[in-house]
Structure formats: C-alpha cells, structure tokens
Amino acid sequence: MSIIELMALSAGLSVDGFAASITDGMTFDKITFVRALIIAFTFAVFQTLMPVGGYFVSGYFYSYIQGAGRWIVLGVLCFLGGKLLIQGIAAFITKHTAKAVVAAAPDTLKEQLNEKMTVRLMLGQGLVTSIDAFLIGICLTVLQVDILRSVLFIGGITFLVCVPGVYIGRKTGDLLTDKVQMVGAIVLIGNGIWLFFKHPLIGLMSV
C-alpha cells in the first residue's frame, strides 16, 4: 500500500473522530488548548489500538479469507463509506430541522451546550468512534502491510484533524459535520474501489 493510499484510508477513518471533536467543541462547557489535546489524543489512541486488534484477530483465520482478499477490502471500505454517507445525510436533515427544536426546548439545548467533560465520557466516545477501525484492521491483514506504520498514520492523522475540529465546533457548531462525513464516505468508497482494481491478487501476494 502506497503512502497516498494509506493517507486516504487514514483520512477517511479519522472522520468519525473529527465529527465527534466538532460536537465536543460545540457542547462542552469549557474549551482550552489542553482539553482540545486530550480530546484529540483520546480519539487518536483508540483509532490506533482498534486496527491492531482487528489485524491480530483476523490473522488467526487469514488462511480462510486470503482468497477473497480484494472482495473483503472492497466490502469493508464500501460498508464504512456507506455508513458515513448515511450519517452525513442524517446530520444534514437534523441540522435543517434544528430551528424548530431550539424554539420548542431552549432550556434543554442550553443544558446540552454545557456538558461536562469527564474521563468516562471521553473513553466512551473513543470506543464508539473507533469500532469501525477494528474492521480496517482486517483489511490491513489482507493487504499484508506494515501494521506499525499503518496505525501510526491512522492515529497521527486522527490527532491532527481532531485538534482543530474542537475549535471548529466551538466557532461554527455543526456547520461542517455533514459535509465532512459525506467527503469521508467518498474517500473510503473510492479507496476501496481503487484497491480492488489496482491489486487483483490481494491476499495471494504482498502489496
């Protein structure tokens, strides 16, 4: 897998963390640079560890899936991309109906915009946003790539996009969330199709 392909995969995978960091910036009661770093670091750590788990777990049954390698990569990336696309469309619809909700329940909204940042909350967010990364670990097994380099790319890019994501959420609210998710969907699906046709022997030879 080339650097460009790995960067595209990492960028698409970091979208969940980026969207969550935007939400955190918008809803947490107080945002400081240290808090932004903590949020970004949490998402980056989970996005680094989950692919490692998927990589080693799938390694146990690699002999059974290697023949269908490129189909697995295509299926996983298209599934994750489709999921992001649905989330983006849902976010778009929600955003355009939010005015009625705000008018009906302004006190509830005010409480949501002053949420406390806790360790339990951050760990929960990190786990939820990184579940997809476990499936990416399976793709990394099939592609027979350097797992350390791959997860460092994934974690590093996640960290780099989540820090500004917190401040974007603070300044603009959820203005960009749906757009980012739709772009991420295109990146993941496009990367899956690219790898499918570029490496017809995925799983049978190292790429």
Side-chain angles (χ1 to χ4, degrees):
M1 178 179 281
S2 69
I3 295 294
I4 294 177
E5 291 166 349
L6 184 54
M7 288 183 67
L9 180 65
S10 302
L13 192 57
S14 69
V15 167
D16 277 339
F18 182 64
S21 68
I22 290 177
T23 301
D24 287 346
M26 180 176 63
T27 59
F28 283 165
D29 57 343
K30 182 173 65 174
I31 292 297
T32 64
F33 182 64
V34 172
R35 282 193 166 197
L37 291 179
I38 292 173
I39 291 169
F41 182 74
T42 301
F43 292 137
V45 167
F46 276 91
Q47 292 281 23
T48 300
L49 294 179
M50 290 295 275
V52 173
Y55 180 86
F56 285 107
V57 168
S58 59
Y60 287 106
F61 53 86
Y62 175 69
S63 59
Y64 299 101
I65 65 175
Q66 61 176 337
R70 66 175 184 154
W71 291 100
I72 291 173
V73 172
L74 178 66
V76 168
L77 293 182
C78 286
F79 168 76
L80 297 181
K83 177 171 168 285
L84 267 182
L85 184 61
I86 293 172
Q87 290 174 343
I89 294 173
F92 177 83
I93 295 173
T94 300
K95 184 168 62 177
H96 286 271
T97 58
K99 289 182 179 180
V101 175
V102 172
D107 293 336
T108 301
L109 178 67
K110 185 176 181 181
E111 292 177 2
Q112 291 176 344
L113 295 179
N114 287 278
E115 189 173 11
K116 299 295 183 181
M117 178 178 171
T118 64
V119 173
R120 180 178 180 179
L121 177 61
M122 290 311 306
L123 291 177
Q125 286 186 350
L127 179 61
V128 169
T129 57
S130 64
I131 292 175
D132 292 349
F134 185 86
L135 296 178
I136 293 296
I138 298 175
C139 292
L140 297 178
T141 299
V142 171
L143 291 168
Q144 298 180 324
V145 299
D146 184 334
I147 182 63
L148 180 59
R149 185 185 72 157
S150 300
V151 297
L152 288 178
F153 259 95
I154 294 170
I157 289 179
T158 299
F159 180 83
L160 291 176
V161 301
C162 286
V163 173
V166 174
Y167 291 100
I168 290 172
R170 199 62 167 182
K171 295 294 184 181
T172 67
D174 62 351
L175 180 65
L176 298 178
T177 302
D178 54 340
K179 300 176 182 63
V180 168
Q181 289 174 324
M182 291 179 186
V183 171
I186 294 172
V187 170
L188 285 176
I189 294 172
N191 204 27
I193 294 173
W194 169 261
L195 289 172
F196 180 85
F197 287 105
K198 181 184 177 182
H199 303 298
L201 296 180
I202 281 178
L204 301 180
M205 60 182 294
S206 177
V207 295

